[in-house]
Amino acid sequence: AIAKTTKSINVDFLPCFSKIQSFFIDPVSATNYAILEDNSVLYKYDLDGKSWKKDSLKNLYSNLPLKARGGITDDNGTIWFFNTNQIYAFKNGQSIPDFPKTITDFLYPLNPLAAVFKNHKLYLFKNKLLYELNIEKLKIDKIHRPQYIFENFPLHLNAAFRHNGLQYFYSNQNYSIYDEKNSKILDGYPKAIITDWSLCRSS
């Protein structure tokens, strides 16, 4: 049903109907962006028009490939992305010197699906596991079952982002909100992106 509906809607709303490859909020402009799994096109949420518009990743992060995953912001305002075995870091809209870097650790999951953050630690999701990444050493410190780190973590994770003490987990056409202060998924989640997510409501 969703596939049929997608063909009849305006292109501006594609992020609401498609699987999200990456979703992130640019720390500088506080603007919402989404990259879709099916076509690797960047979309920017237009607050004035309350709709999604195509945009160019080169205008935002010039050396970031469109296949990149992640987009998680840490406590220092650094936003992290991942592609194959490369790690990208941006601060104040600029690539941090010496990035991207290559991770050679054999435990590293090539092409992780998403990144999440907790207790000053960065985790990568793939194969239904969370890989705890040591940024300084570019090594995997530990591998965890997600439920041991995040209560009621979704079985599959397409994308995630972090904003104002909340983490948003996107699993296919649903999303959940994790409260960092209380270390729990908010009651009533998961919910459908198309009917509940504020950036997808038509009214």
Side-chain angles (χ1 to χ4, degrees):
I2 290 176
K4 292 181 180 179
T5 308
T6 302
K7 293 179 181 179
S8 62
I9 64 169
N10 191 294
V11 68
D12 294 347
F13 298 97
L14 274 176
C16 303
F17 288 84
S18 303
K19 290 183 180 179
I20 298 174
Q21 171 186 303
S22 296
F23 187 95
F24 58 95
I25 298 179
D26 177 55
V28 177
S29 64
T31 301
N32 301 281
Y33 293 92
I35 302 175
L36 306 185
E37 280 191 355
D38 54 356
N39 60 7
S40 294
V41 173
L42 179 72
Y43 289 85
K44 173 183 178 180
Y45 188 74
D46 177 39
L47 189 60
D48 293 332
K50 297 189 181 305
S51 61
W52 289 94
K53 306 287 186 182
K54 284 186 179 180
D55 203 350
S56 172
L57 190 59
K58 291 182 179 180
N59 296 333
L60 185 62
Y61 303 129
S62 59
N63 66 335
L64 186 66
L66 268 169
K67 292 292 185 180
R69 297 271 187 167
I72 198 76
T73 302
D74 66 18
D75 292 332
N76 298 316
T78 301
I79 185 167
W80 300 90
F81 293 90
F82 304 86
N83 183 59
T84 61
N85 63 341
Q86 298 283 308
I87 178 172
Y88 297 76
F90 298 88
K91 186 75 176 285
N92 298 324
Q94 302 295 321
S95 179
I96 293 179
D98 299 327
F99 280 89
K101 293 183 177 181
T102 301
I103 301 176
T104 59
D105 185 0
F106 74 96
L107 291 176
Y108 179 78
L110 288 177
N111 295 308
L113 297 178
V116 292
F117 191 84
K118 186 178 183 182
N119 296 333
H120 313 294
K121 295 180 180 179
L122 190 64
Y123 300 89
L124 303 178
F125 177 82
K126 191 174 182 182
N127 303 322
K128 298 183 179 180
L129 297 171
L130 286 178
Y131 297 75
E132 184 180 325
L133 178 62
N134 186 315
I135 295 294
E136 293 182 357
K137 297 180 180 179
L138 297 181
K139 297 285 186 181
I140 297 297
D141 281 343
K142 296 179 182 179
I143 301 175
H144 307 267
R145 293 186 182 276
Q147 292 76 13
Y148 294 155
I149 307 299
F150 296 92
E151 180 184 352
N152 295 325
F153 194 86
L155 294 176
H156 177 76
L157 192 64
N158 296 93
F161 77 96
R162 183 172 183 253
H163 184 62
N164 288 341
L166 300 174
Q167 296 200 50
Y168 294 71
F169 302 150
Y170 293 88
S171 179
N172 298 326
Q173 300 299 325
N174 297 315
Y175 78 107
S176 300
I177 300 179
Y178 179 84
D179 182 349
E180 294 180 352
K181 182 178 180 179
N182 296 307
S183 298
K184 60 176 292 186
I185 298 286
L186 296 183
D187 293 340
Y189 288 88
K191 295 182 178 180
I193 293 173
I194 187 61
T195 57
D196 187 81
W197 190 27
S198 61
L199 303 187
C200 284
R201 295 190 194 123
S202 58
S203 61

